[in-house]
Amino acid sequence: MRKIVIAVLLFCISISFCVSEEQISDIGDSIAETDNQSSTESENIIHTIQKMLEEDLLNNKDKLIELTKNLSLDEKQKLYLTYEKSGGKYFVLNLILGCGIGSFAQGDSKSGMLALCFELGGVVMMLSGTNSENAFLVSIGYGLLIGGRVGECIAPWEYANNYNDTLKTSLNMTYEKLSFVPVINPIDEKYGFVARIAL
């Protein structure tokens, strides 16, 4: 048995010496060419995805899901980190300047218009209540201003969260989510947690 193994090894070694340097070079060139083609294709796909994300995420969502199927997790994470939205600076703009300016700057025109309407409505109610000496209208005006400002502080975070969830879905980055839900049964006086996995 040992002689057969040695004979097979010698045969394999002799075959490898029969391959010329030109053939080895050709094999190496074809491997390099295949790598270059696949990296160029990947770069083209990433460039197309970037254009689509910059244009409109929501309208391109289905196309993005199809394009990102073959990207590596690393490429997907780089795209996500590049296009992820934060609510921080828009929250500050809404808090300090008001009138939905932060929401408009973030691209959330719906929340921006709603905040602007609340603030304008509050000012109109306060002015009309002040002119007619109607304390009820003034308090409604204050209520609209305060409620609008609270909504303005929440809106940037909500918009960023929804946008980022859509971005994750579009990049095929959805993962299982584990959550714990409290369970309270006052009849049997039992309390605890239930683990829930959202798929």
Side-chain angles (χ1 to χ4, degrees):
M1 181 71 173
R2 193 176 218 182
K3 290 181 182 180
I4 295 173
V5 172
I6 292 172
V8 170
L9 285 173
L10 289 173
F11 178 74
C12 291
I13 291 171
S14 66
I15 289 177
S16 67
F17 282 117
C18 293
V19 176
S20 69
E21 288 183 28
E22 288 177 12
Q23 290 172 330
I24 293 173
S25 175
D26 290 343
I27 293 170
D29 289 343
S30 67
I31 290 172
E33 190 175 303
T34 305
D35 287 345
N36 288 339
Q37 286 175 348
S38 65
S39 96
T40 303
E41 285 178 27
S42 179
E43 288 173 8
N44 289 339
I45 290 172
I46 290 174
H47 184 68
T48 303
I49 291 169
Q50 288 172 333
K51 279 185 177 179
M52 294 173 86
L53 288 172
E54 289 167 3
E55 288 172 4
D56 188 9
L57 172 64
L58 295 176
N59 288 334
N60 293 323
K61 180 180 174 184
D62 295 331
K63 294 175 189 174
L64 287 167
I65 290 172
E66 191 62 35
L67 281 173
T68 57
K69 282 184 179 177
N70 296 325
L71 293 181
S72 69
L73 182 59
D74 187 47
E75 291 169 327
K76 291 176 185 181
Q77 287 175 336
K78 285 179 184 175
L79 283 168
Y80 179 78
L81 292 174
T82 301
Y83 291 97
E84 175 185 31
K85 289 197 177 188
S86 170
K89 63 183 173 183
Y90 307 109
F91 161 78
V92 172
L93 284 173
N94 274 346
L95 182 66
I96 294 173
L97 299 176
C99 297
I101 291 173
S103 293
F104 284 120
Q106 189 177 25
D108 185 11
S109 56
K110 180 181 172 185
S111 295
M113 284 301 292
L114 191 61
L116 183 60
C117 290
F118 264 87
E119 292 207 16
L120 289 176
V123 168
V124 168
M125 294 297 266
M126 284 176 50
L127 291 176
S128 63
T130 303
N131 289 338
S132 65
E133 296 181 8
N134 187 341
F136 181 69
L137 286 179
V138 172
S139 61
I140 288 177
Y142 276 121
L144 285 174
L145 284 174
I146 292 169
R149 193 56 62 102
V150 169
E152 286 180 73
C153 291
I154 295 170
W157 301 106
E158 184 66 24
Y159 181 79
N161 190 35
N162 290 338
Y163 179 89
N164 292 336
D165 284 346
T166 305
L167 181 61
K168 280 182 187 176
T169 303
S170 298
L171 295 175
N172 289 309
M173 292 180 66
T174 54
Y175 305 108
E176 294 178 2
K177 297 178 182 175
L178 175 65
S179 62
F180 294 95
V181 179
V183 177
I184 301 171
N185 186 348
I187 297 171
D188 298 331
E189 295 184 358
K190 294 184 179 178
Y191 309 96
F193 291 95
V194 173
R196 179 172 39 183
I197 299 175
L199 301 176

